[in-house]
Amino acid sequence: MSGKPVVAEDGLDKAPQSSITVANAESIPSSLNHIPFFRRTLFQILVVGICAFSAPGIWSAMNGLGVGGSQSPDLVNTANALLYAFMTVTCFLSPWLTNAVGFRWTLSLGTLGYPLYAAGLYVNNRFGSTWFVYVGAVACGISAGFFWGVEGAIATGYPEEHKRGRYIATWFTFRNFGNVIGGAISLGLNHKVNHRGQVGYQTYLGFIAIQCLGCLFALLLSNPEKVQRDDGTRIEAPRGIYWHTELREMWGLMRSKSILLLTPLFWYFGWTQAYPGTYFATYFTVRSRALGSFLGAIVGTFATWLGGILVDIHWTKKRQTRAIGTYILIALLNSATWIWAVYIQNEYRHTHPVLDWGDQAAFGRGFGVYMFERLAVGMVENYIYWCISNLSDSPGDQIRYSSLLRGIETAGVCIGFGVQAVPTSLIATASINLGLWFFALPFSYYATVGVVRRFNELDKKRDENSEVRSNGIEA
């Protein structure tokens, strides 16, 4: 591979020409329909999805209960800030580990810290000990950074171009399904607990058991060179790259236009993740938090599929129109949601309510804003990874894009949890969320324009290739 990323005239990065081989119609193998299912891109997405369910999905389920199901937000917010601090470092290092051991082993190793995090919460919940919470947070942070980098590269770099929006949605569906299962378990165990407090310690035993399976599921993954796409393109992610070459590639991408334009949106997405759990733990009863974890995951899954369908399905002929239309919908939804959240939070800082579904009038307003947050942020999540997936067709390049941008995201989460652990008033946090969104808005628009320009270039090349083939047939 070259030492520098290839950059288009509009500043949008492209993969080096050697990173992927595109087959002409005549060169697509006749046995394409006989590709083993475990070598197809769909199977790889299912594997990474199952791993996302068992590791970060279950982690999200615990935090969806309101700061890990704990009664005190400060302990878990501090532990999560520590987790994301380590995770930021290892996320940036993910390309080096992947280069050394491959995608499959990096994915497996990345799941190992998650059960320790859940075990720390179990020990704290049952015996009141705090030290294991911090140990679990550090272990989870170290492994999770590698996991986040490689899972993003697989989900965005393996699929065929015309399936990326839906396959990214499939990946997030599995991740959100962790919240669905976790919320259902917790709701069943805590549905009678109509006061604020911590969830029962039995909740964590099921979480730990599921998370222990993640490292085994990851071994079902195929490395890129063994995967065959349905459209006849081959995936190549070279191994054995010297560390200084990898560093030079990463440094080049960090300064690239596409990364700089997407950075504010990734920071916004990371920062906002600390707010919902603290909001739930502060104002809602235990059973209401369990219900929120369950329904929030369903709404989040709907949001990511809505985003994926809008950019993939031909509701309009041009992909450029689909991209801009989806962006406008996301912009309006997020703007309205955070304005509403600030309004509600300003009221709650004076009234300090305890919200339970037994009081429908008061509960519905506070619970509704949380559901809209899940919808708005879920659409952002799909859209930013769809943008990444269109920067390059190669997992070798996607691991760098994913590691850089997810590292920025985890840094945002780290600082967000750290600020919330101080503690900081929720009206201040909600207002910062609103401000960050409006700051990211113009940058994300120009990132969308960059993707649209790449679509125009690809369409132009396809038209040229079709014209050449037609002339060849006539001759």
Side-chain angles (χ1 to χ4, degrees):
M1 291 182 73
S2 62
K4 295 181 180 179
V6 177
V7 181
E9 293 179 359
D10 64 355
L12 188 68
D13 307 307
K14 291 183 178 180
Q17 293 300 314
S18 61
S19 63
I20 181 168
T21 303
V22 182
N24 293 323
E26 295 84 356
S27 64
I28 298 176
S30 59
S31 60
L32 197 58
N33 293 330
H34 302 292
I35 298 173
F37 180 64
F38 69 93
R39 297 297 188 200
R40 289 180 177 267
T41 54
L42 175 59
F43 182 79
Q44 315 312 314
I45 295 300
L46 294 176
V47 170
V48 78
I50 292 171
C51 293
F53 158 73
S54 61
I58 296 298
W59 185 93
S60 296
M62 289 184 288
N63 279 271
L65 299 175
V67 289
S70 173
Q71 181 174 5
S72 171
D74 297 343
L75 170 65
V76 179
N77 279 335
T78 303
N80 284 345
L82 184 64
L83 183 157
Y84 278 104
F86 280 90
M87 188 173 171
T88 300
V89 176
T90 54
C91 203
F92 285 123
L93 295 176
S94 185
W96 279 271
L97 181 63
T98 306
N99 183 41
V101 302
F103 282 71
R104 184 175 64 160
W105 283 106
T106 302
L107 188 68
S108 182
L109 292 172
T111 65
L112 296 180
Y114 284 94
L116 294 177
Y117 178 91
L121 292 180
Y122 168 80
V123 171
N124 172 256
N125 188 292
R126 188 168 187 182
F127 304 109
S129 175
T130 59
W131 67 271
F132 199 15
V133 175
Y134 296 116
V135 171
V138 171
C140 185
I142 292 172
S143 70
F146 297 123
F147 183 90
W148 272 39
V150 75
E151 72 159 345
I154 295 166
T156 58
Y158 274 40
E160 297 83 353
E161 184 180 285
H162 61 285
K163 296 180 179 179
R164 285 175 185 159
R166 286 164 291 173
Y167 278 9
I168 291 171
T170 302
W171 165 38
F172 285 131
T173 296
F174 277 95
R175 181 185 282 254
N176 288 332
F177 198 61
N179 259 336
V180 174
I181 297 298
I185 292 172
S186 181
L187 189 60
L189 294 173
N190 302 289
H191 67 281
K192 295 182 180 180
V193 185
N194 60 348
H195 55 78
R196 287 187 294 185
Q198 61 186 22
V199 302
Y201 67 82
Q202 301 92 339
T203 307
Y204 298 101
L205 297 177
F207 291 158
I208 294 170
I210 294 171
Q211 288 185 323
C212 286
L213 298 174
C215 63
L216 301 177
F217 290 135
L219 297 178
L220 298 174
L221 184 79
S222 295
N223 281 321
E225 65 275 6
K226 296 182 179 179
V227 178
Q228 300 180 59
R229 286 174 173 160
D230 293 344
D231 60 5
T233 58
R234 298 199 304 272
I235 308 172
E236 295 181 9
R239 297 267 299 277
I241 302 171
Y242 290 116
W243 67 269
H244 51 81
T245 303
E246 190 71 54
L247 181 62
R248 190 164 58 246
E249 293 272 6
M250 292 282 284
W251 177 245
L253 288 181
M254 286 179 66
R255 297 176 297 161
S256 65
K257 182 178 179 180
S258 54
I259 293 291
L260 294 176
L261 288 175
L262 286 170
T263 292
L265 194 58
F266 269 85
W267 184 272
Y268 156 79
F269 177 68
W271 174 278
T272 58
Q273 293 182 38
Y275 174 81
T278 307
Y279 171 75
F280 252 33
T282 302
Y283 297 118
F284 290 81
T285 62
V286 171
R287 67 179 184 178
S288 297
R289 287 153 61 182
L291 178 66
S293 177
F294 177 70
L295 292 181
I298 295 175
V299 170
T301 300
F302 168 77
T304 193
W305 271 102
L306 177 60
I309 288 172
L310 287 175
V311 294
D312 269 3
I313 299 300
H314 291 190
W315 55 273
T316 182
K317 184 177 180 180
K318 289 187 176 182
R319 290 179 297 176
Q320 295 87 331
T321 305
R322 299 199 296 267
I324 296 295
T326 304
Y327 168 80
I328 292 172
L329 175 60
I330 291 172
L332 293 174
L333 182 60
N334 277 263
S335 300
T337 296
W338 286 114
I339 291 172
W340 183 19
V342 170
Y343 176 82
I344 290 288
Q345 194 61 69
N346 184 56
E347 176 186 326
Y348 286 178
R349 69 171 173 159
H350 299 295
T351 59
H352 304 288
V354 177
L355 301 174
D356 182 75
W357 70 55
D359 183 3
Q360 290 292 323
F363 174 77
R365 293 175 69 243
F367 196 79
V369 71
Y370 174 78
M371 289 294 107
F372 270 91
E373 287 167 12
R374 295 299 88 204
L375 179 64
V377 175
M379 290 197 69
V380 168
E381 187 174 36
N382 182 282
Y383 194 70
I384 54 181
Y385 286 102
W386 177 80
C387 286
I388 291 178
S389 72
N390 285 288
L391 297 179
S392 172
D393 288 324
S394 167
D397 297 303
Q398 287 293 345
I399 187 67
R400 299 187 187 101
Y401 283 116
S402 180
S403 297
L404 281 172
L405 289 170
R406 299 204 86 173
I408 293 166
E409 177 189 335
T410 55
V413 179
C414 171
I415 296 176
F417 274 111
V419 168
Q420 204 68 75
V422 170
T424 304
S425 64
L426 286 172
I427 182 62
T429 308
S431 299
I432 293 172
N433 292 347
L434 176 62
L436 285 174
W437 168 248
F438 280 116
F439 177 77
L441 207 52
F443 293 97
S444 56
Y445 170 76
Y446 285 109
T448 302
V449 169
V451 173
V452 168
R453 286 176 179 168
R454 185 169 186 267
F455 286 157
N456 290 335
E457 291 178 1
L458 291 173
D459 290 342
K460 183 178 179 180
K461 288 181 180 179
R462 287 194 182 97
D463 291 340
E464 291 174 354
N465 291 336
S466 298
E467 185 177 347
V468 170
R469 283 196 297 270
S470 297
N471 293 335
I473 293 173
E474 291 176 1

